[in-house]
Amino acid sequence: MSKNENHERSAVSVIGLGQMGARLAQAFLAAGYTTTVWNRSAAKADALVAQGAVRAATAEAAVAASPLVVVCLPDYTTVDDLLGPVAESLRGRVLVNLTSGTPEEAARTADWAAGHGAGYLDGAAMSGTRLVGRPEALFVFSGSPEAFATHQAVLASLGNSVHLGADPALAPVYDTALFGLAWGALAGFYHAVALVGASGVDPTVFATVAAGHMPFVTSLMTDHARQIQDGRFPNDDGTVEVHAAAMEHLVHTSRAQGIGTDVPDLIETLLKRTAAIGHGVSGIASVVETITKGERNV
């Protein structure tokens, strides 16, 4: 089979050409795949057609054009409204839904797709729009393993495409969890920039040092995940009580510098609550026990 024939068989349709949808289509085109596009506002397809995409006249035509149909829309209600009338056209195809939503919505949509004879993958773009099409862009998918295996090469055009498992609800769970992780890290970074900035440090200079520190932080994530899995929290990285005392120093220093303490206040509260439930001399990964139980049960 020639390269062109393989790409024709692996043709993809992209429905929804907002900022992310347009980048998805561009990535498929850049990889050489025949790409059909459709958007309710037809003008949004113009730039992609100029780059080689095929314009579909209707949503139904876009679905019918390809064995792989990728939708990226504002919400699941829009997905329902758009695909409901053309559901029979999905039979025998794979629907990939990169619309942000809840685990319940993903499960419901997967059942709906299966009822119309379509394979289903729920997904999430975890690296924004700038990295789409590059190996470091993370895309997570969950749902039909067979559908992912069949179209893995096409989906790899988007970046590092990872299949999480057969449960379609896993992708939105990871989406929200990783979103929270990113914001937790960024909140710490923003506080740190404000703190060193009060001493006249250029934020770009600090960022270089901070980036060099992050491999240590990510190594803690890997090690602490094993501790959490085992339910044992050795204090090799310091006890909860030691870290709580250090966090008090961070709060004091921040106040002395005249900056907000929202971020360290939160962490100090978590550490103190963890000590209160008997983990004062445990390792800091035991904070997960406080979070898992929730405030009402502490």
Side-chain angles (χ1 to χ4, degrees), residues 11-238:
V12 56
S13 291
V14 178
I15 295 176
L17 303 176
Q19 190 177 21
M20 177 59 74
R23 291 292 294 121
L24 301 176
Q26 287 172 340
F28 292 132
L29 286 168
Y33 290 102
T34 303
T35 304
T36 298
V37 295
W38 183 86
N39 194 77
R40 197 183 301 274
S41 301
K44 286 192 174 182
D46 292 347
L48 291 164
V49 171
Q51 296 170 45
V54 178
R55 188 197 305 270
T58 64
E60 185 173 20
V63 170
S66 310
L68 180 64
V69 180
V70 177
V71 296
C72 187
L73 296 165
D75 49 50
Y76 278 70
T77 299
T78 305
V79 174
D80 295 343
D81 292 345
L82 191 63
L83 295 183
V86 301
E88 287 307 311
S89 297
L90 282 167
R91 189 167 300 278
R93 291 172 168 77
V94 169
L95 173 63
V96 176
N97 189 2
L98 283 167
T99 301
S100 293
T102 67
E104 293 79 12
E105 288 174 318
R108 175 179 54 77
T109 306
D111 288 342
W112 174 85
H116 292 281
Y120 183 79
L121 291 169
D122 210 272
M126 300 311 311
S127 308
T129 58
R130 287 185 299 168
L131 297 182
V132 175
R134 294 166 57 175
E136 59 267 37
L138 174 63
F139 282 79
V140 294
F141 299 95
S142 61
S144 168
E146 296 78 14
F148 183 79
T150 299
H151 297 286
Q152 185 172 6
V154 185
L155 295 173
S157 304
L158 303 177
N160 178 22
S161 295
V162 177
H163 187 251
L164 304 171
D167 182 354
L170 283 172
V173 168
Y174 268 71
D175 184 15
T176 51
L178 290 171
F179 178 76
L181 172 62
W183 257 103
L186 287 171
F189 172 72
Y190 300 148
H191 181 87
V193 165
L195 183 60
V196 299
S199 296
V201 176
D202 187 309
T204 61
V205 173
F206 175 77
T208 300
V209 176
H213 182 56
M214 290 311 292
F216 167 69
V217 176
T218 56
S219 73
L220 289 182
M221 292 181 189
T222 303
D223 186 35
H224 290 183
R226 285 193 291 267
Q227 295 179 20
I228 292 166
Q229 184 178 46
D230 295 341
R232 300 174 57 200
F233 309 106
N235 57 20
D236 302 12
D237 302 310

Side-chain angles (χ1 to χ4, degrees), residues 239-297:
T239 67
V240 167
E241 289 175 346
V242 167
H243 279 263
M247 199 58 59
E248 287 180 3
H249 295 318
L250 178 56
V251 170
H252 172 80
T253 302
S254 300
R255 287 176 179 156
Q257 294 284 14
I259 70 169
T261 60
D262 305 78
V263 175
D265 280 344
L266 168 63
I267 301 167
E268 183 181 31
T269 298
L270 286 172
L271 289 165
K272 288 182 175 179
R273 283 171 49 201
T274 302
I277 62 171
H279 282 294
V281 296
S282 299
I284 56 176
S286 61
V287 168
V288 74
E289 298 281 290
T290 295
I291 296 172
T292 300
K293 291 179 180 178
E295 186 174 4
R296 288 175 299 178
N297 298 320

